Amino acid sequence: MGKTIAQKIFDAHIIDDTYENAKIIKLDAVFAHEITTPPAIKDLETKGLDKVFDPNKIKVVIDHVTPSKDTRSAIQAKILRDWARRHKIKDFFDIGKNGVCHALFPEQGFVRPGYTIIMGDSHTCTHGAFGAFAFGVGTTALEVGILKGVVATSYPKSIKIVLKGQLENGVYAKDVILHIIHELTVNGATNRVIEFSGEVIDNFSMEERMTLTNMAIEAGATSGICAPDMKTVEYLWKYIKNDFNDKADALKEYSRWLPDADAKYEKEFEFDVSDWEPLITIKYSPDQSILAKDADIKIDQAYLGSCTNGRISDLRIAAGILKGQKIADHVRGILSPATPTVFKTALKEGLLEIFMDSGFVVTNPTCGACLGMSNGVLAPGEVAVSSTNRNFKGRMGKGGMVHLASPATVVASAIAGKIVDPRKYISSQEEGK
Amino acid sequence: MKKFGGKVLFLDRANINTDEIIPAKYLTEIDKEPLKQHLLEDLDLNNFDPTSINFEQYGAVVSRANFGCGSSREMAPWAFEVNGINVLIASNFARIFRENTFNCGMLAIELSEDTIDKIFQDFADKDDVLLDINLNDMTMKFSTTDLNYELEFSLTKFQHDLVKHGGWVKLAADKY
Ligand code: SF4
């Protein structure tokens, strides 16, 4: 019988097949940040097992609360920092070099098609955009990953989602994934991997694919995967060029991870995206959404950033709308470029100036407001439109309301002072693109 | 391997969730030890006052369906573990909670609803109910001064190995 992408990767990594309900697989990379890793480090120390399986395969970043905001966050950062130094982990990203993990690690070339990756973070599914099998885990699983480079998990079963048609101008990858989660519901892909394919995915850039796979977990999925293609090779080329004769050669090698024609999926969905419109979430669950044009919701804050939509292409789209415009007086606009490279590129291209002229503040790269820990926490009763991925109750601050949307919708709403459909704010030059 | 068995604490309610076991406000703790005094702090159960209970004297808990539902926090089994409660028995457990418990080298044993009913009937109102666990032949024995009986239970091979090695960290350290 044919295999899915996840099954092919899985089979190539199994090192112990003796257990019926749990298979042990080898890991190509373990990622770590300062919120979930310190308890694992402490527990390993307590057990007298303060070791790492391979310092070159562990990638570490302080990203959630940085620079530290209080004693507790400073201690978390310090535990991670001391540990990374003690074990000579060279890919360790602290202030000056740090950025949001799921944006930073792909940008640094740490992901490859066919890789197995874990992290103590539910949005680890983002890395599936490269044709990797990546998923979030709990503390003990993370400890074992750090110590031994293995993880125990059940054999993957996939849902196939085929996306057809052409996205209308002003409708983005974020709207696509919000539509999909709305269709599937937050439990629709629980214990399953989502494999995305179709002409929409083929046309998507790697950044757009990451926006899509990032939110697979919001439908309950273990991971979201896009098959590797020439775009994957192009994105990674500067990191892999010594390994291959040319790009075609690299693509050939990565093509072994493509799903078999007769692969068995638990479920298959086909969507035509052509008449999909910009969405926003309402209430406290990412599957509850309405058309942005039907929302008439006044906002206090507009947030652009995070592992979902804090990349350079997001900033370009947003700046295109903000150029020459001012955001509403009562709106606090916050831009947090996801990584130092995104920050620098936006600076060079003059995007940061556009944001600042329009009334936005620009913060350093960090998760910050996304999880309501710093840099833009909401007060009870306040409302934000945000390019992030979770609208759970209290996510950006106790008593606050978060409406998830695309970067275009976020900044258009900032101008309008309330949530709007971004399409009428997109200039004609943008439309020509 | 951990020590299994001891005095039994009965929690007579279904759907006891991880927020009740260890409230979210303690999740920023980096060590396990500070969790100790907050075990079951928010448990919603008649006449249950966690401040008046010395959890350390217990070694096992018997409860009802869907024990440990809610968030994936591993601090929930940890809060039992630091109190020396390494055996949890229920008619079934939430998946992640069960996996976390075995990953810590602890036991999350599922018995049929009827058996759980009977255990509650026979023992729940008695003090000093003791539980003995025999992992080799997978039996357990409940006893008080005037009553005792033996029950069988089952584990998958992976769960058995996790427990034998004292958890997933130790098992992986020994094996891979
Ligand atoms: S940006 Fe938000 S969702 Fe992404 S890793 Fe940071 S806290 Fe998590």
Side-chain angles (χ1 to χ4, degrees):
Chain A
M1 197 183 63
K3 291 179 193 167
T4 65
I5 307 178
Q7 289 169 344
K8 282 195 175 177
I9 298 172
F10 203 90
D11 284 347
H13 288 79
I14 288 186
I15 55 164
D16 187 350
D17 200 12
T18 51
Y19 299 112
E20 207 176 307
N21 304 311
K23 309 285 168 211
I24 316 302
I25 60 170
K26 187 166 76 49
L27 292 166
D28 295 307
V30 174
F31 296 160
H33 65 56
E34 88 280 14
I35 301 288
T36 51
T37 317
I41 294 170
K42 283 281 165 184
D43 197 54
L44 285 171
E45 284 174 6
T46 312
K47 291 189 163 82
L49 292 166
D50 181 26
K51 286 176 267 183
V52 301
F53 81 106
D54 182 344
N56 295 321
K57 290 183 176 166
I58 300 180
K59 315 292 178 185
V60 184
V61 65
I62 297 172
D63 63 349
H64 276 57
V65 186
T66 180
S68 301
K69 70 177 169 107
D70 55 13
T71 305
R72 205 173 264 282
S73 57
I75 291 171
Q76 288 178 310
K78 182 170 161 47
I79 292 172
L80 193 70
R81 186 181 295 124
D82 290 349
W83 171 77
R85 287 184 182 150
R86 181 161 83 235
H87 294 291
K88 308 204 162 34
I89 294 170
K90 66 176 195 323
D91 293 313
F92 166 58
F93 299 83
D94 206 339
I95 289 175
K97 295 191 296 176
N98 59 358
V100 178
C101 50
H102 309 306
L104 182 74
F105 292 151
E107 188 185 272
Q108 294 291 327
F110 295 156
V111 186
R112 297 280 184 283
Y115 263 24
T116 48
I117 302 168
I118 60 164
M119 180 173 196
D121 191 285
S122 58
H123 294 103
T124 307
C125 50
T126 313
H127 309 286
F130 292 81
F133 185 51
F135 56 101
V137 295
T139 310
T140 300
L142 179 65
E143 283 181 55
V144 172
I146 287 168
L147 185 67
K148 287 289 164 181
V150 302
V151 71
T153 182
S154 57
Y155 199 68
K157 294 175 175 173
S158 296
I159 292 175
K160 181 179 184 175
I161 295 185
V162 183
L163 297 173
K164 294 207 152 147
Q166 202 76 40
L167 278 180
E168 246 191 70
N169 194 40
V171 187
Y172 301 94
K174 179 62 156 286
D175 299 304
V176 172
I177 190 64
L178 289 178
H179 270 276
I180 293 172
I181 295 165
H182 184 77
E183 294 288 335
L184 262 60
T185 78
V186 286
N187 267 327
T190 301
N191 283 327
R192 299 285 178 266
V193 174
I194 299 178
E195 299 192 12
F196 297 99
S197 58
E199 60 184 308
V200 176
I201 305 298
D202 298 341
N203 293 331
F204 268 177
S205 67
M206 290 312 294
E207 299 201 350
E208 289 172 303
R209 291 178 194 178
M210 282 189 259
T211 298
L212 208 65
T213 52
N214 175 269
M215 290 190 72
I217 179 80
E218 308 309 334
T222 308
S223 195
I225 300 187
C226 301
D229 63 2
M230 202 37 141
K231 287 199 173 140
T232 321
V233 172
E234 299 271 4
Y235 185 101
L236 292 173
W237 186 243
K238 66 177 165 185
Y239 301 105
I240 61 174
K241 60 176 189 278
N242 294 330
D243 305 342
F244 300 102
N245 296 326
D246 54 25
K247 290 176 183 170
D249 198 26
L251 183 60
K252 203 171 138 222
E253 157 68 18
Y254 292 153
S255 296
R256 70 190 175 108
W257 305 114
L258 299 183
D260 292 327
D262 59 343
K264 193 177 165 299
Y265 293 91
E266 296 296 301
K267 266 188 199 159
E268 300 192 21
F269 296 90
E270 191 178 299
F271 298 114
D272 187 332
V273 303
S274 303
D275 59 354
W276 282 4
E277 298 185 72
L279 286 187
I280 62 144
T281 61
I282 48 165
K283 303 192 180 158
Y284 301 113
S285 168
D287 59 352
Q288 294 185 300
S289 42
I290 58 170
L291 296 179
K293 68 178 183 202
D294 295 337
D296 188 23
I297 301 166
K298 198 176 162 212
I299 55 165
D300 301 293
Q301 180 166 303
Y303 183 76
L304 190 74
S306 88
C307 56
T308 322
N309 282 124
R311 299 185 180 83
I312 191 67
S313 54
D314 302 312
L315 273 58
R316 285 180 187 139
I317 290 165
I321 294 172
L322 282 176
K323 192 163 188 181
Q325 304 281 337
K326 293 267 183 242
I327 64 173
D329 270 349
H330 68 273
V331 173
R332 308 184 296 268
I334 302 171
L335 165 67
S336 189
T339 71
T341 305
V342 173
F343 197 114
K344 258 201 277 187
T345 311
L347 186 67
K348 254 191 238 155
E349 294 181 6
L351 309 183
L352 298 189
E353 200 175 340
I354 295 174
F355 274 97
M356 293 177 77
D357 285 346
S358 76
F360 263 78
V361 70
V362 182
T363 82
N364 64 303
T366 174
C367 295
C370 172
L371 74 164
M373 286 188 85
S374 63
N375 277 352
V377 181
L378 299 174
E382 287 191 325
V383 177
V385 61
S386 173
S387 73
T388 53
N389 51 32
R390 280 202 170 140
N391 58 342
F392 296 169
K393 204 168 193 164
R395 171 76 177 183
M396 288 181 94
K398 202 176 158 98
M401 169 58 95
V402 184
H403 298 284
L404 305 177
S406 76
T409 305
V410 168
V411 296
S413 303
I415 296 168
K418 57 177 189 167
I419 295 178
V420 291
D421 188 315
R423 284 175 292 186
K424 57 174 183 269
Y425 290 79
I426 295 171
S427 69
S428 45
Q429 342 148 247
E430 274 294 307
E431 264 164 38
K433 270 198 200 163
Chain B
M1 196 166 75
K2 294 192 147 51
K3 191 178 149 289
F4 297 109
K7 200 173 154 184
V8 183
L9 175 69
F10 291 91
L11 302 175
D12 194 1
R13 212 198 82 203
N15 304 313
I16 291 178
N17 68 49
T18 52
D19 263 295
E20 293 175 277
I21 296 169
I22 185 80
K25 59 179 178 244
Y26 303 117
L27 299 189
T28 50
E29 292 297 346
I30 289 160
D31 296 312
K32 293 181 181 182
E33 218 37 48
L35 304 174
K36 191 167 177 173
Q37 53 185 321
H38 303 297
L39 177 65
L40 296 170
E41 193 167 285
D42 285 351
L43 181 64
D44 183 11
L45 189 67
N46 285 341
N47 303 324
F48 185 84
D49 173 18
T51 56
S52 71
I53 299 176
N54 174 14
F55 290 110
E56 270 191 315
Q57 60 174 314
Y58 294 100
V61 160
V62 176
S63 187
R64 294 190 182 266
N66 200 26
F67 190 86
C69 56
S71 86
S72 63
R73 70 190 66 162
E74 206 163 305
M75 281 79 180
W78 289 359
F80 285 109
E81 184 188 17
V82 288
N83 278 289
I85 299 172
N86 293 321
V87 186
L88 306 171
I89 299 170
S91 54
N92 74 301
F93 293 89
R95 181 184 63 87
I96 298 176
F97 180 85
R98 187 188 60 230
E99 287 174 6
N100 286 343
T101 305
F102 281 105
N103 275 344
C104 294
M106 300 158 65
L107 281 167
I109 299 174
E110 298 183 334
L111 299 175
S112 75
E113 204 127 346
D114 290 345
T115 312
I116 292 284
D117 273 345
K118 185 162 164 45
I119 294 170
F120 269 100
Q121 269 167 30
D122 291 341
F123 295 106
D125 58 345
K126 298 194 171 68
D127 262 348
D128 297 322
V129 179
L130 283 177
L131 177 71
D132 280 311
I133 298 267
N134 185 332
L135 268 180
N136 292 328
D137 54 10
M138 294 218 240
T139 56
M140 61 171 98
K141 192 168 130 192
F142 283 92
S143 55
T144 58
T145 37
D146 52 345
L147 179 67
N148 69 73
Y149 53 70
E150 217 174 77
L151 296 163
E152 289 181 357
F153 64 93
S154 65
L155 301 176
T156 69
K157 182 161 181 334
F158 189 54
Q159 290 170 342
H160 203 268
D161 282 3
L162 286 171
V163 170
K164 226 170 50 195
H165 285 81
W168 178 217
V169 176
K170 294 271 177 57
L171 171 60
D174 293 347
K175 210 168 158 181
Y176 303 109

